[in-house]
Amino acid sequence: MSAVVDSNIFRNNRLKAGLDPDHIPQHIAVIMDGNGRWAKQQGFMTRVRGHEVGVEALRKITTAAAELGLGFLTVYAFSTENWNRPKAEVDALMNILMTALEKELPTLMNNNVRLKAIGNVDSLPEKANKKLMSVITATSKNDGLTLTLALSYGSQDEMVQAVRKIATEVANGALAPEDISEAHIENSLFTAGMPSPDLMIRTSGEQRISNYLLWQLAYAELYFTPILWPDFDAQGLYDAIAAFQKRERRFGQTSEQLTDK
Ligand code: IPE
Ligand code: IPE
Ligand code: MG
């Protein structure tokens, strides 16, 4: 499909969603929270069913984001702190990850989505890590939406690793301390090469960042919704983007400076 046809389709989809087609965030970050509470609310015996239905919600949101022509969608799937959950839940989550990677490849291909991962993916079970790498490779030529899974991800840990990298360069004499710049730090994070998120959505009513993209969210608009992740759908995404479109992003300037331009 030509880029022109593509952009007309995206424009129509944005209008259909009730959005300003010229003011779509380039990068949305999501904290997919509330799976456990959803399972409890539905009367399931374990939290696992919430995680399973959570995968379906992610499929819906990824498809909706691809249809809007969004550039980047980065989702928090498993934090460094989540390793501290009961072993049965961690094991179930790793199995769900494996199954989802196996099952979702056709959807990713159909929607021209490129999969990426950030975090300590080496600490995932070997089979899951291998499957992840194979889907990343299989989708690497897709040039639509980039879907990034934050897996075994923690922002403070990411910063520690970045500092180590930079400190090594300094110790080797390749870099002078006074030459360390914001760009250096950015390029040493897992998200190197990605634009910063414009909008961060957290579901389930919690209003915290939980060690997610602390550097990258510096100027993101934050959107919190009480909807539990398994219930989050395309309309939820459109509502979040509509709320984003009403915000004024000032980046330290005054409102007058922005409107006088
Ligand atoms: C988010 O849902 C998924 C992960 C953290 C893996 P939770 O499992 O945190 O669900 P709640 O917050 O307990 O409802
Ligand atoms: C954050 O959710 C991590 C993911 C969504 C993967 P948590 O449910 O683990 O966050 P806290 O511990 O309640 O802050
Ligand atoms: Mg939670």
Side-chain angles (χ1 to χ4, degrees):
M1 214 187 295
S2 82
V4 177
V5 177
D6 253 9
S7 68
N8 279 335
I9 292 174
F10 295 150
R11 206 180 160 78
N12 285 336
N13 289 342
R14 291 170 186 191
L15 289 168
K16 258 194 277 173
L19 299 170
D20 171 354
D22 300 319
H23 189 44
I24 296 289
Q26 188 186 13
H27 184 175
I28 299 181
V30 183
I31 302 181
M32 310 185 288
D33 198 15
N35 294 352
R37 277 164 283 169
W38 182 90
K40 197 169 174 189
Q41 199 183 68
Q42 301 289 314
F44 290 106
M45 299 289 283
T46 74
R47 299 164 48 86
V48 175
R49 186 71 195 131
H51 298 311
E52 287 168 353
V53 180
V55 174
E56 289 168 31
L58 178 56
R59 184 192 314 122
K60 284 186 212 160
I61 297 309
T62 303
T63 305
E67 285 171 357
L68 293 177
L70 194 86
F72 297 85
L73 178 68
T74 301
V75 300
Y76 210 1
F78 192 84
S79 71
T80 45
E81 289 75 21
N82 290 148
W83 289 113
N84 298 324
R85 290 193 177 190
K87 186 177 181 302
E89 181 166 346
V90 171
D91 289 349
L93 279 164
M94 293 303 142
N95 283 330
I96 290 167
L97 171 66
M98 276 286 293
T99 315
L101 287 166
E102 263 157 25
K103 221 176 106 186
E104 303 300 334
L105 182 60
T107 312
L108 296 175
M109 296 310 286
N110 283 339
N111 287 300
N112 193 20
V113 176
R114 175 172 44 180
L115 190 76
K116 285 196 172 179
I118 54 173
N120 293 306
V121 291
D122 290 347
S123 56
L124 298 173
E126 199 186 326
K127 267 171 103 181
N129 190 12
K130 268 200 178 146
K131 191 75 222 165
L132 176 67
M133 292 308 140
S134 81
V135 179
I136 288 176
T137 307
T139 61
S140 64
K141 297 227 161 57
N142 292 343
D143 59 2
L145 173 75
T146 297
L147 170 66
T148 303
L149 302 179
L151 282 167
S152 190
Y153 173 88
S155 191
Q156 292 181 335
D157 165 68
E158 176 184 39
M159 287 187 197
V160 168
Q161 295 191 44
V163 169
R164 277 195 198 131
K165 253 189 252 172
I166 295 171
T168 308
E169 284 178 58
V170 171
N172 290 343
L175 183 67
E178 58 273 23
D179 289 337
I180 298 172
S181 62
E182 289 178 13
H184 258 105
I185 297 177
E186 237 150 51
N187 291 331
S188 307
L189 298 172
F190 290 127
T191 49
M194 269 190 224
S196 294
D198 308 289
L199 169 64
M200 195 286 288
I201 302 171
R202 183 171 190 151
T203 58
S204 89
E206 305 301 347
Q207 302 192 7
R208 55 176 174 263
I209 302 291
S210 301
N211 202 9
Y212 192 42
L213 304 172
L214 300 179
W215 170 281
Q216 298 89 336
L217 291 177
Y219 257 110
E221 295 296 328
L222 307 181
Y223 178 86
F224 300 101
T225 168
I227 301 172
L228 301 175
W229 177 253
D231 287 331
F232 198 69
D233 59 8
Q235 190 55 52
L237 179 71
Y238 303 156
D239 290 347
I241 298 174
F244 168 84
Q245 293 187 329
K246 291 202 186 83
R247 308 265 179 102
E248 184 182 59
R249 303 187 77 194
R250 289 194 284 276
F251 298 99
Q253 291 189 289
T254 66
S255 190
E256 290 72 21
Q257 279 177 297
L258 296 168
T259 42
D260 288 350
K261 254 192 224 158

